[in-house]
CSV table of all heavy atoms in Angstrom, one decimal:
chain,number,residue,atom,x,y,z
B,1069,PRO,N,-1.0,-6.8,17.0
B,1069,PRO,CA,-0.5,-5.4,17.3
B,1069,PRO,C,-0.2,-4.6,16.0
B,1069,PRO,O,-0.1,-5.2,15.0
B,1069,PRO,CB,0.8,-5.7,18.1
B,1069,PRO,CG,1.2,-7.1,17.6
B,1069,PRO,CD,0.0,-7.7,17.3
B,1166,ASP,N,-9.5,12.2,11.0
B,1166,ASP,CA,-10.5,12.8,10.1
B,1166,ASP,C,-11.0,11.7,9.2
B,1166,ASP,O,-10.3,11.2,8.4
B,1166,ASP,CB,-9.8,14.0,9.2
B,1166,ASP,CG,-10.7,14.7,8.3
B,1166,ASP,OD1,-11.9,14.2,8.1
B,1166,ASP,OD2,-10.4,15.8,7.8
B,1172,VAL,N,-4.6,4.4,2.4
B,1172,VAL,CA,-3.8,3.2,2.5
B,1172,VAL,C,-2.7,3.2,1.5
B,1172,VAL,O,-2.9,3.8,0.3
B,1172,VAL,CB,-4.6,1.9,2.3
B,1172,VAL,CG1,-5.6,1.8,3.6
B,1172,VAL,CG2,-5.5,1.9,1.1
B,1184,ARG,N,-6.9,-4.1,-3.0
B,1184,ARG,CA,-8.1,-4.9,-2.4
B,1184,ARG,C,-8.9,-4.1,-1.4
B,1184,ARG,O,-10.1,-4.1,-1.5
B,1184,ARG,CB,-7.4,-6.1,-1.7
B,1184,ARG,CG,-8.4,-6.9,-0.8
B,1184,ARG,CD,-9.4,-7.7,-1.6
B,1184,ARG,NE,-10.4,-8.4,-0.7
B,1184,ARG,CZ,-10.2,-9.6,-0.2
B,1184,ARG,NH1,-9.1,-10.3,-0.4
B,1184,ARG,NH2,-11.1,-10.2,0.6
B,1194,ALA,N,-10.3,7.5,1.5
B,1194,ALA,CA,-10.2,8.6,0.6
B,1194,ALA,C,-9.4,8.1,-0.6
B,1194,ALA,O,-9.6,8.5,-1.8
B,1194,ALA,CB,-9.7,9.8,1.2
B,1211,SER,N,-15.7,-4.7,-6.0
B,1211,SER,CA,-17.0,-4.0,-6.1
B,1211,SER,C,-17.1,-2.8,-5.0
B,1211,SER,O,-17.7,-2.9,-3.9
B,1211,SER,CB,-18.1,-5.0,-5.7
B,1211,SER,OG,-18.1,-6.1,-6.7
B,1250,THR,N,-4.9,-2.9,-14.8
B,1250,THR,CA,-5.2,-2.4,-13.4
B,1250,THR,C,-5.8,-1.0,-13.5
B,1250,THR,O,-6.8,-0.7,-12.9
B,1250,THR,CB,-4.0,-2.4,-12.6
B,1250,THR,OG1,-3.6,-3.8,-12.2
B,1250,THR,CG2,-4.2,-1.6,-11.3
B,1258,ASP,N,-14.3,3.6,-10.9
B,1258,ASP,CA,-14.5,5.0,-10.5
B,1258,ASP,C,-15.3,5.9,-11.5
B,1258,ASP,O,-15.4,7.1,-11.3
B,1258,ASP,CB,-13.1,5.7,-10.2
B,1258,ASP,CG,-12.5,5.2,-8.9
B,1258,ASP,OD1,-13.3,4.8,-8.1
B,1258,ASP,OD2,-11.2,5.5,-8.7
B,1275,ALA,N,15.7,7.6,-5.9
B,1275,ALA,CA,16.9,8.2,-5.7
B,1275,ALA,C,18.1,7.6,-6.3
B,1275,ALA,O,19.2,8.3,-6.6
B,1275,ALA,CB,17.2,8.4,-4.2
B,1285,GLN,N,0.7,10.1,-15.1
B,1285,GLN,CA,-0.5,10.0,-16.0
B,1285,GLN,C,-1.7,10.0,-15.1
B,1285,GLN,O,-1.7,9.5,-14.0
B,1285,GLN,CB,-0.5,8.7,-16.8
B,1285,GLN,CG,0.6,8.6,-17.8
B,1285,GLN,CD,0.4,7.3,-18.6
B,1285,GLN,OE1,-0.2,7.4,-19.7
B,1285,GLN,NE2,0.8,6.2,-18.1
B,1312,ARG,N,13.2,11.6,-1.0
B,1312,ARG,CA,12.3,12.3,-0.1
B,1312,ARG,C,11.3,13.1,-1.0
B,1312,ARG,O,10.0,13.2,-0.6
B,1312,ARG,CB,13.1,13.3,0.7
B,1312,ARG,CG,12.2,14.2,1.6
B,1312,ARG,CD,11.3,13.5,2.6
B,1312,ARG,NE,10.3,14.4,3.3
B,1312,ARG,CZ,10.6,14.9,4.5
B,1312,ARG,NH1,11.7,14.6,5.2
B,1312,ARG,NH2,9.6,15.6,5.0
B,1328,HIS,N,-15.1,13.0,-0.6
B,1328,HIS,CA,-16.1,14.1,-0.7
B,1328,HIS,C,-17.5,13.5,-0.3
B,1328,HIS,O,-17.7,12.3,-0.1
B,1328,HIS,CB,-16.2,14.5,-2.2
B,1328,HIS,CG,-15.1,15.3,-2.6
B,1328,HIS,ND1,-15.1,16.7,-2.6
B,1328,HIS,CD2,-13.8,15.0,-3.0
B,1328,HIS,CE1,-14.1,17.2,-3.1
B,1328,HIS,NE2,-13.2,16.2,-3.3
Side-chain angles (χ1 to χ4, degrees):
D1166 183 346
V1172 291
R1184 165 77 181 271
S1211 300
T1250 288
D1258 281 342
Q1285 298 185 91
R1312 175 59 188 263
H1328 287 264

